[in-house]
Amino acid sequence: QLQASGGGLVQPGGSLRLSCAASGLTVDNYVFGWFRQAPGKEREWVSCDSGSGDVSYYAESVKGRFTISRDNAKNTVYLQMNSLKPEDTADYYCAAGPDLVWGDQQKYPYWGQGTQVTVSS
């Protein structure tokens, strides 16, 4: 029901925009979150919004560089990633749930597959 895309290889300082296309659920009825999992590490929370999309939250490691947004007409949520660093390298996942639960992964019932982001020169 969630399809993440947009990952790829980018040089440090570059940008990528990840997309999370929803099917079978209406984006404006859900809170969306983005998570990432680097090789050998646990999956961590990156960002989420308030459901209406008017308030956004970010992990300290990405604050000021990443922006979560949504296009209700396209039923899609985005993660714009700027000023990418090698430590941003990870598989990125989108998730959706009915409530604002920030990084509590168990409370997101819907997950997309990961999209790989590699930041390297």
Side-chain angles (χ1 to χ4, degrees), residues 41-70:
K41 295 187 177 181
E42 294 188 352
R43 189 162 60 186
E44 65 176 3
W45 173 73
V46 174
S47 177
C48 66
D49 67 13
S50 61
S52 61
D54 56 351
V55 181
S56 305
Y57 305 89
Y58 300 94
E60 284 297 322
S61 59
V62 307
K63 195 174 292 184
R65 301 188 297 121
F66 290 12
T67 303
I68 188 172
S69 64
R70 55 174 66 201

Side-chain angles (χ1 to χ4, degrees), residues 1 7 10 15 21 72 78 89 92-95 107 113:
Q1 289 182 321
V10 63
S15 298
N72 290 338
Y78 303 98
T89 295
Y92 283 72
Y93 299 85
C94 60
K107 293 184 179 177
Q113 88 294 352

Side-chain angles (χ1 to χ4, degrees), residues 2 20-32 49-54 69-77 96-99:
L2 299 180
C20 179
S23 60
L25 61 86
T26 304
V27 161
D28 61 3
N29 290 338
Y30 290 86
V31 169
F32 275 76
D49 67 13
S50 61
S52 61
D54 56 351
S69 64
R70 55 174 66 201
D71 185 334
N72 290 338
K74 294 183 177 180
N75 219 33
T76 299
V77 176
D99 301 311

